[in-house]
Amino acid sequence: MKFEVLTLFPEMFVSPFSESMIKRAKEKGLVSIETHDMRKWAWNSYGAVDDHPFGGGVGMLIRVDVIANALKEIKKDSDSRVVLMSARGKRYTQADAKRLSSYKNLIIVCGHYEGFDERVGKLVDEEISIGDFVLTGGEIPAMVLIDSVSRLLPGVLGKDESSMTESFSTEGYIEYPQYTRPRDFNGESVPEVLLSGDPKKIEKWQEEESKEKSKKE
């Protein structure tokens, strides 16, 4: 799967994806991540991509012609999905990650400054938000999307079933509690059912605990 990121800060994506799962996935050829510096499509010789908003207001807006020219050059595959990381976008969920993992190419547009010209929304397939809080730009949300989608791709995790039992992967439930050695720690012991060796009892306990934790959340 190919991720292409349109951003003002391409270097931000180097370190986070040079470690752990994503690094291994890239080495195996399962995932590729390409960043595109938005300034390549600047509207003037100074590398500007933003401009003052009509009607006044605080901050600068990224221009629609800059994004349009960038997407025209980047989007080469008809199966590409263009996602705009936006505070006003749909709240991102595990179901969205699963849906997006079916595409061969995801193009992610990262905002900055005060945001985008309103018309940019008509150039993309969807707008996504990772939560109701303010960040400096769309780069960190884009990393969240790339990580969450990548782990659902076949072969990326050591065992593909691992991603199916994680929190929110099964009917939206939070993952059940898990334990390892030592068996007793500071007066708290591992639940006896997990030591029973009875798969049916263990599975039932896991299901009940998952539902109970989800209710509390």
Side-chain angles (χ1 to χ4, degrees), residues 23-214:
K23 178 186 178 182
R24 294 192 296 270
K26 288 163 62 179
E27 291 173 345
K28 293 177 181 178
L30 301 173
V31 168
S32 69
I33 303 170
E34 183 177 357
T35 55
H36 302 274
D37 192 333
M38 202 178 290
R39 293 182 182 85
K40 178 181 176 181
W41 296 275
W43 62 271
N44 66 13
S45 59
Y46 298 102
V49 299
D50 59 338
D51 214 333
H52 297 281
F54 286 116
V58 179
M60 306 282 277
L61 298 175
I62 295 176
R63 289 173 48 143
V64 63
D65 53 346
V66 170
I67 303 301
N69 290 333
L71 292 178
K72 184 178 180 181
E73 186 172 335
I74 295 171
K75 190 176 181 181
K76 301 182 177 79
D77 191 337
S78 59
D79 189 39
S80 296
R81 185 77 172 172
V82 183
V83 177
L84 177 66
M85 306 311 299
S86 168
R88 71 178 189 185
K90 175 184 180 294
R91 178 72 70 86
Y92 189 58
T93 67
Q94 185 67 19
D96 291 312
K98 186 174 182 180
R99 173 176 57 82
L100 292 174
S101 70
S102 65
Y103 291 93
K104 294 181 179 179
N105 183 210
L106 281 184
I107 300 173
I108 307 170
V109 183
C110 302
H112 215 76
Y113 306 126
E114 192 64 21
F116 294 93
D117 181 297
E118 179 69 17
R119 293 164 290 185
V120 170
K122 296 181 180 180
L123 302 177
V124 304
D125 296 308
E126 61 182 294
E127 298 184 38
I128 284 178
S129 168
I130 64 167
D132 297 334
F133 47 85
V134 180
L135 294 172
T136 305
E139 283 74 20
I140 292 176
M143 294 176 198
V144 169
L145 190 150
I146 292 171
D147 185 279
S148 60
V149 170
S150 294
R151 63 189 298 107
L152 297 177
L153 301 175
V156 170
L157 295 182
K159 294 182 179 179
D160 288 339
E161 61 268 22
S162 296
S163 65
M164 299 307 295
T165 59
E166 294 174 329
S167 294
F168 308 114
S169 294
T170 307
E171 298 182 9
Y173 290 131
I174 293 174
E175 189 175 11
Y176 50 79
Q178 298 190 76
Y179 298 83
T180 186
R181 293 179 179 84
R183 179 171 173 174
D184 298 292
F185 181 72
N186 287 347
E188 186 174 2
S189 300
V190 175
E192 287 297 324
V193 65
L194 298 179
L195 308 173
S196 68
D198 189 325
K200 289 186 178 179
K201 286 184 178 180
I202 293 174
E203 184 177 350
K204 182 180 179 181
W205 178 87
Q206 290 172 337
E207 182 179 337
E208 291 174 349
E209 287 293 314
S210 178
K211 290 180 179 179
E212 187 61 30
K213 287 179 70 69
S214 299

